[in-house]
Amino acid sequence: QVQVVESGGGAVQAGGSLRLSCQISGLVFTDYGVGWYRQAPGKKREAVSCFDWGVSGQPRYAGFVKGRFTISKDNAMRTLYLQMNNLTPEDTALYYCVAEYGVFGSTLCARPPPVSGKSYWGQGTQVTVSS
């Protein structure tokens, strides 16, 4: 059974930092492109950052990240991270971790993959940034 579990969200003031984690079990971690999406109230789900499938791969970032966020992963621990610095109220959202079989980060971040036998979503972790 595949499990995707996010953690690390919370409430911070503008300019603060948070580190999100996503533990993925039940699949071969390096066979999957992995990444982060977010959804703010009343808005569509949007990509934040994604990694290619494989051992390493190039990270991809949405334009609004502007050097503030860093995605990383620990293949041995099957864990994906998102270090977020210099947070603004516009970053307030529910942040989701997603894994999709055999895709590059550019594909994963181009559109939210549907829930299927080849893609998996977590339940999300809330990030709230106050001004």
Side-chain angles (χ1 to χ4, degrees):
Q1 181 180 0
V2 177
Q3 289 190 314
V4 180
V5 181
E6 304 98 334
S7 61
V12 296
Q13 291 190 326
S17 298
L18 286 172
R19 189 191 194 206
L20 306 184
S21 299
C22 173
Q23 177 79 48
I24 302 177
S25 59
L27 51 76
V28 180
F29 187 76
T30 51
D31 283 351
Y32 286 72
V34 288
W36 294 95
Y37 271 73
R38 71 184 188 182
Q39 188 166 18
K43 294 188 177 182
K44 291 183 178 180
R45 193 170 294 191
E46 62 180 355
V48 178
S49 183
C50 299
F51 253 124
D52 298 342
W53 72 276
V55 175
S56 54
Q58 291 293 321
R60 315 285 174 173
Y61 294 99
F64 61 78
V65 168
K66 296 181 180 178
R68 301 180 297 131
F69 299 176
T70 303
I71 192 172
S72 61
K73 62 177 182 171
D74 185 329
N75 293 328
M77 297 300 292
R78 292 175 294 181
T79 302
L80 181 69
Y81 302 98
L82 185 69
Q83 176 67 43
M84 304 188 295
N85 299 325
N86 196 20
L87 287 161
T88 72
E90 289 70 35
D91 295 314
T92 295
L94 191 59
Y95 283 70
Y96 296 92
C97 178
V98 61
E100 186 175 13
Y101 181 79
V103 298
F104 291 102
S106 55
T107 299
L108 181 60
C109 268
R111 81 293 180 262
V115 175
S116 70
K118 293 187 175 182
S119 62
Y120 303 92
W121 290 85
Q123 292 300 306
T125 185
Q126 178 67 40
V127 171
T128 302
V129 185
S130 59
S131 57

